[in-house]
Amino acid sequence: MASAPALLVLVLACLTATQAQVKVFNLRATGLPSNLISTTDGYVKVFCSSASMGETSVINNNADPWWKEEFSYFKAQENDVLRLEVYDSDFLFDDRLGVCQRQMKLGTHTHDCYLEKGGTLNYSYTLG
Ligand SMILES: [Ca+2]
């Protein structure tokens, strides 16, 4: 659990002077888990540190969704934490399948991330 000052530093890191633009794109998942009572209806929430960059649409009944959305944020900085949260949409409570976090580096990068509850998220970002 991060302390309040640490969280404040993370927030401020997104707001300080040397800002860059980050673009997150080409979000694809494979092998998302399903269960007996619900189809796999995936979507992804995207954050830069504590700032929300938005979320994808829900792709219903597909264990291998490919989201077309791109996300941009103009107050990013190198070493800010890019965070992607993958969910399965359900009637009552959306099930969080996993979280991908990494410190961003300048340039364009593509990563695979293994989700806690099964499946893989592949995504790309450009920081600069
Ligand atoms: Ca579902």
Side-chain angles (χ1 to χ4, degrees):
M1 182 75 191
S3 66
L7 287 174
L8 185 61
V9 167
L10 281 176
V11 171
L12 292 174
C14 269
L15 299 175
T16 45
T18 53
Q19 291 168 347
Q21 182 185 4
V22 60
K23 187 174 80 169
V24 182
F25 56 99
N26 207 16
L27 276 64
R28 285 180 294 166
T30 52
L32 294 182
S34 57
N35 59 43
L36 292 174
I37 57 170
S38 156
T39 56
T40 300
D41 316 294
Y43 69 96
V44 184
K45 295 181 180 179
V46 184
F47 300 87
C48 170
S49 294
S50 61
S52 173
M53 294 173 61
E55 63 184 68
T56 68
S57 57
V58 175
I59 297 182
N60 288 308
N61 196 16
N62 188 340
D64 306 299
W66 185 352
W67 295 277
K68 304 299 184 186
E69 291 95 336
E70 296 184 353
F71 301 91
S72 293
Y73 186 62
F74 293 93
K75 295 177 179 176
Q77 224 183 357
E78 190 170 22
N79 295 321
D80 278 354
V81 174
L82 177 66
R83 176 180 173 94
L84 298 102
E85 300 181 351
V86 183
Y87 289 86
D88 171 20
S89 174
D90 286 323
F91 288 117
L92 293 176
F93 300 103
D94 292 354
D95 196 14
R96 195 168 80 178
L97 302 178
V99 176
C100 304
Q101 296 193 96
R102 76 169 45 238
Q103 283 190 308
M104 295 185 291
K105 303 298 177 190
L106 292 172
T108 297
H109 306 273
T110 298
H111 296 288
D112 284 324
C113 162
Y114 296 96
L115 304 172
E116 293 151 41
K117 294 192 175 176
T120 304
L121 178 69
N122 180 276
Y123 64 95
S124 298
Y125 73 86
T126 299
L127 179 67

